[in-house]
Amino acid sequence: MSNQTVSPGALLAGRYRIAELLAEIDGARVWRAVDEVLSRAVVVDVLPVGDPRTNQLFDAARRAAAAADPRFLRVLDCDMHEGVTYCVREWAGGRPLERMLTAGPLTGQQAGWLAREVSEALENLHRTGHSHGSISPSTVVVTDAGAIKVVGLATEAALRSTGPGSPEEDVRALGELLYASLTGRWPGPAPAWGLQPAPVEHGRLLSPRQVRAGVPRSLDDISDRLLGDPPRHHSVPITSAAGLSAALSGVIGSSHEPPSQMDETVAVARQNGSVDDATQVAPAIQAPPALDPTPQIPEYQQSAYAENNGRTPAQPAYATAAETQPVRRQTPPPQNGGRRKPPPDEPKQRGSWGGRILILLAILALLSVVAMAQFLVKGAINKDQGNDSKTNAPPPATSAPPAASGAPAKIVGAKDFDPPPDGSGSEHPEDVPNTYDGKLSTTWTTQSYKRKPELGGTKDGVGIIYDLGALTDVSKVTVSLVGDDTSLSLMIPKADPSVSAPAADGWKAVATLKDQGAQAVLTPAAPVKTRYVLVWLTKLPKADGGFRGEIAEVAVQK
C-alpha cells in the first residue's frame, strides 16, 4: 500500500476505513476515517513510503500521547502498514479560530477567554519540558460543546518539518493569536490565515487599541507585553504560559464557561469591573458567536495543514472511488473595516419631545403619590409600636458570596479518607503527598476493586482530604487523573468548614463530574469558604484486571 493507494473506501491497517481527504501538505495526506473497532470518527495523517519525516512523526506522536491536558486532541495510534506511516488522532466537531475570524474580531471577553484556555493547556504541557510547536488560528478550535481543543500537538510541526519548537515560541504564537482575535488583523508583515497584516508605525506594531476601537486596556497591555519589543511604558514582558494564564485570569476571571454574545460580555464587565472598558466595543462590528450553532462537518482538520497563503482544503469525498484533489479556498471578501452600511431606504426613527415630556411628568407625579403614601403608613406603624421599634431591628443584610480571585491556594497537608464502617480506614497514606508535590510523574492510587467500577459495590467512595491551613475562598479544584472514566466530587464539611468531618455523611458535595479522563476541573456554582476540601472518587477506571483510581496532582484555586 502506498500513499497514492490510500483512498476513500480503503481499509488501513485492517481497522481504519478511509472516508474523506481533508488536506495535503508536502506529500503527506490528512484523512477523515472511521475506526471500525470502536465505531468512532478519527483523523489519520499518512506519509508515503520512505518519507524522511517518518521518524519525526513517530517521535512527535510519542510526545503528544504523554500530554495529560484534555484540551489537546489525543494521539490514539501511530504505526507503519505496508510501508505507509500513519498517525491516528481524535476527531472533534467544531470551528477553528481561523474561520471564526473571517466574520470579524472577537469581543474582549471572548478573546481573553480563548487565549487563557490555550495558555492553561500550554502551561501544563511546558511543565513536562515539551512544546506544541505550531500554535496558530488553524490549530485552535471551539467545539460544538463549547470547549477549546488544540489540534496537532507536536505532530503538526513534524509534518511541516519546522522542528519541535520551544515554550517561548509557543507563547509568542499565542500572543499573535490574541492580537488577531482582538483586531481581526495579523501581527506580521504579510497576510496570513485569511487576515490582512496589522499596521506598523515607525517600524513598530500598533497596539490592538490603536487598530480597533473598544479593545479593553487590560488586554491591550497583555498583548503588548507578549509582542512588544520592548513593551511600552517599561512593562515587564510575558514570556511564559504560566505568566500569561495568571495575567488573563486577573482580567477575565477563571470560569471555563465560554462567553457568548456582546451584550452578555458587556454585562459581566460592568458587574465585576474585570474588563475595564469593554463597553466601548464598536457597535458596528458583529462579533462571531462562541460556538457554531449549525451542525456541520468540522473544518479545523482542513485548515490545520494548509499554508498561510493559498491554503487548500479538500471537498468531501466519502465513499467515492476516485481521490478528490484539494480545492483552493477563495479569499474572503473585504470586510470594509467591519462596518455595516445601512440600506438607503432604511427609515430613521423619530420621536416627539412633547409626548416624552408628558410621559415623564406623569411618572414623576405617580412616584410622588407612592412616596407620600409610604410616609403616612410608616408614621402610623411607628406610632403603634412605640418603644418596641428599638428592639425590633431589621435583620442584617446577607453578604454576597465571595468572588473568585484566580490565585492558587496553598495545601499545607492532606490525608487519605476511607471511613468505616464500609472503608478500611487506610488507602495508601504514604503516597498522598505525591498529589500536591507539583509533579505529574508521582501519583497516589486507591486499592484495587473487583466486579464493579463503583469500588466493587462495597462502599460509596474513597478520597483525599486537603488542609488549606485556614478558611479559604475556593473557586475550583483541578484534579489530574490517570486512566479514563473516573467519577468524582468536590466536598466540604457540612457543619463547620474549619473542622474536618470524620465520617462520610459529614461532608456535602459542591461539584460533581462523571466519566472524566486526564483532567477534571471541579467548579462550585459559587466560591465556597472552607479550610478542608475532599476529593471523593465514586467510580474508578479499569486497571490490571480490576478497577483502581489514580491521582497525579491536585491544585486548589481561590
Side-chain angles (χ1 to χ4, degrees), residues 20 22 32 91-96 99 144 292 294-302 314-318:
E20 176 186 358
L22 299 175
R32 181 174 65 84
W91 168 284
R95 299 181 70 199
R99 176 172 173 81
D144 297 335
D292 185 3
T294 305
Q296 59 181 8
I297 296 177
E299 301 184 20
Y300 63 89
Q301 288 90 349
Q302 301 177 16
Q315 54 180 238
Y318 186 82

Side-chain angles (χ1 to χ4, degrees), residues 265-502:
T265 301
V266 172
V268 171
R270 283 176 173 168
Q271 181 177 1
N272 59 29
S274 59
V275 179
D276 41 18
D277 58 350
T279 57
Q280 299 178 13
V281 177
I285 298 176
Q286 182 180 1
L291 307 176
D292 185 3
T294 305
Q296 59 181 8
I297 296 177
E299 301 184 20
Y300 63 89
Q301 288 90 349
Q302 301 177 16
S303 58
Y305 297 94
E307 298 297 337
N308 289 4
N309 298 293
R311 296 180 301 282
T312 56
Q315 54 180 238
Y318 186 82
T320 56
E323 296 179 8
T324 304
Q325 295 298 324
V327 178
R328 185 175 299 276
R329 180 181 293 175
Q330 298 296 323
T331 303
Q335 298 293 324
N336 295 326
R339 299 188 177 275
R340 169 184 173 270
K341 294 183 178 180
D345 57 347
E346 184 176 316
K348 297 182 179 180
Q349 295 183 354
R350 299 182 180 273
S352 169
W353 282 105
R356 294 177 183 177
I357 291 175
L358 289 176
I359 293 174
L360 180 60
L361 291 175
I363 293 174
L364 291 175
L366 180 60
L367 291 176
S368 299
V369 172
V370 172
M372 181 62 70
Q374 289 179 338
F375 176 77
L376 294 175
V377 172
K378 183 177 180 181
I381 293 175
N382 289 340
K383 184 176 179 179
D384 291 339
Q385 289 180 338
N387 294 332
D388 291 343
S389 62
K390 297 180 181 180
T391 59
N392 296 334
T398 303
S399 59
S405 68
K410 184 178 180 180
I411 298 174
V412 300
K415 64 177 182 179
D416 58 312
F417 188 60
D418 187 22
D422 298 329
S424 62
S426 177
E427 289 267 347
H428 298 153
E430 69 279 1
D431 294 332
V432 169
N434 293 340
T435 63
Y436 59 101
D437 61 358
K439 301 176 183 178
L440 291 173
S441 58
T442 59
T443 65
W444 168 84
T445 61
T446 69
Q447 312 250 2
S448 292
Y449 297 86
K450 302 297 183 181
R451 298 188 303 275
K452 295 181 180 180
E454 292 81 9
L455 294 93
T458 62
K459 62 182 73 173
D460 293 333
V462 67
I464 300 176
I465 299 173
Y466 293 93
D467 183 1
L468 306 181
L471 288 175
T472 304
D473 294 330
V474 176
S475 66
K476 73 174 180 179
V477 174
T478 302
V479 183
S480 297
L481 301 165
V482 177
D484 295 325
D485 299 328
T486 301
S487 297
L488 67 167
S489 295
L490 173 63
M491 309 185 80
I492 64 173
K494 283 183 180 178
D496 186 351
S498 63
V499 178
S500 177

